Tab-separated table of all heavy atoms in Angstrom:
chain	number	residue	atom	x	y	z
A	145	LEU	N	-0.420	-32.204	-27.846
A	145	LEU	CA	-1.504	-32.522	-28.860
A	145	LEU	C	-1.115	-33.662	-29.799
A	145	LEU	O	0.068	-33.736	-30.195
A	145	LEU	CB	-1.657	-31.162	-29.823
A	145	LEU	CG	-2.192	-30.063	-29.003
A	145	LEU	CD1	-2.521	-28.857	-29.975
A	145	LEU	CD2	-3.514	-30.229	-28.182
A	196	ALA	N	-4.182	-18.085	-32.217
A	196	ALA	CA	-5.114	-18.489	-31.178
A	196	ALA	C	-6.361	-18.978	-31.788
A	196	ALA	O	-6.758	-18.663	-32.833
A	196	ALA	CB	-5.463	-17.207	-30.333
A	197	ARG	N	-7.030	-19.935	-31.044
A	197	ARG	CA	-8.284	-20.594	-31.531
A	197	ARG	C	-9.425	-19.511	-31.705
A	197	ARG	O	-10.126	-19.663	-32.517
A	197	ARG	CB	-8.718	-21.805	-30.721
A	197	ARG	CG	-7.874	-22.983	-30.874
A	197	ARG	CD	-8.635	-24.219	-30.294
A	197	ARG	NE	-8.703	-23.975	-28.745
A	197	ARG	CZ	-9.265	-24.888	-27.985
A	197	ARG	NH1	-9.761	-25.934	-28.420
A	197	ARG	NH2	-9.364	-24.562	-26.613
A	226	HIS	N	-8.967	-17.416	-34.442
A	226	HIS	CA	-9.758	-18.431	-35.289
A	226	HIS	C	-8.789	-19.322	-36.137
A	226	HIS	O	-8.958	-19.659	-37.251
A	226	HIS	CB	-10.748	-17.897	-36.350
A	226	HIS	CG	-11.743	-16.876	-35.619
A	226	HIS	ND1	-12.625	-17.287	-34.809
A	226	HIS	CD2	-11.750	-15.514	-35.697
A	226	HIS	CE1	-13.399	-16.292	-34.336
A	226	HIS	NE2	-12.878	-15.214	-34.863
A	227	CYS	N	-7.600	-19.711	-35.370
A	227	CYS	CA	-6.675	-20.422	-35.929
A	227	CYS	C	-6.535	-21.751	-35.133
A	227	CYS	O	-5.946	-21.745	-33.949
A	227	CYS	CB	-5.284	-19.755	-36.012
A	227	CYS	SG	-3.913	-20.884	-36.654
A	228	GLN	N	-6.948	-22.887	-35.823
A	228	GLN	CA	-6.886	-24.221	-35.104
A	228	GLN	C	-5.550	-24.871	-35.739
A	228	GLN	O	-5.793	-25.385	-36.819
A	228	GLN	CB	-8.176	-25.031	-35.289
A	228	GLN	CG	-8.101	-26.349	-34.750
A	228	GLN	CD	-8.124	-26.333	-33.178
A	228	GLN	OE1	-9.001	-25.716	-32.648
A	228	GLN	NE2	-7.157	-26.930	-32.720
A	229	ALA	N	-4.479	-24.817	-34.836
A	229	ALA	CA	-3.416	-25.547	-35.539
A	229	ALA	C	-3.561	-26.974	-35.607
A	229	ALA	O	-3.950	-27.719	-34.552
A	229	ALA	CB	-2.155	-25.196	-34.531
A	230	ARG	N	-3.347	-27.466	-36.700
A	230	ARG	CA	-3.474	-29.047	-36.943
A	230	ARG	C	-2.264	-29.748	-37.222
A	230	ARG	O	-2.254	-30.936	-37.460
A	230	ARG	CB	-4.547	-29.178	-38.167
A	230	ARG	CG	-5.825	-28.489	-38.018
A	230	ARG	CD	-6.738	-28.709	-39.263
A	230	ARG	NE	-6.323	-28.250	-40.426
A	230	ARG	CZ	-7.061	-27.927	-41.521
A	230	ARG	NH1	-8.365	-28.209	-41.414
A	230	ARG	NH2	-6.575	-27.537	-42.659
A	231	GLY	N	-1.172	-29.079	-37.117
A	231	GLY	CA	0.089	-29.811	-37.289
A	231	GLY	C	1.302	-28.790	-37.722
A	231	GLY	O	1.035	-27.709	-38.043
A	242	ASP	N	0.091	-25.701	-40.004
A	242	ASP	CA	-1.086	-26.000	-40.729
A	242	ASP	C	-2.273	-25.308	-39.875
A	242	ASP	O	-2.602	-25.897	-38.783
A	242	ASP	CB	-1.378	-27.462	-40.819
A	242	ASP	CG	-2.554	-27.863	-41.512
A	242	ASP	OD1	-3.276	-26.874	-41.864
A	242	ASP	OD2	-2.940	-29.069	-41.673
A	243	CYS	N	-2.791	-24.231	-40.280
A	243	CYS	CA	-3.858	-23.576	-39.508
A	243	CYS	C	-5.098	-23.610	-40.464
A	243	CYS	O	-6.044	-22.674	-40.182
A	243	CYS	CB	-3.500	-22.090	-39.253
A	243	CYS	SG	-2.984	-21.911	-37.529
A	244	GLY	N	-5.336	-24.331	-41.295
A	244	GLY	CA	-6.474	-24.510	-42.094
A	244	GLY	C	-6.834	-23.160	-42.853
A	244	GLY	O	-5.964	-22.808	-43.768
Side-chain angles (χ1 to χ4, degrees):
L145 299 183
R197 284 192 302 176
H226 307 291
C227 178
Q228 178 68 54
R230 301 185 298 198
D242 178 3
C243 257

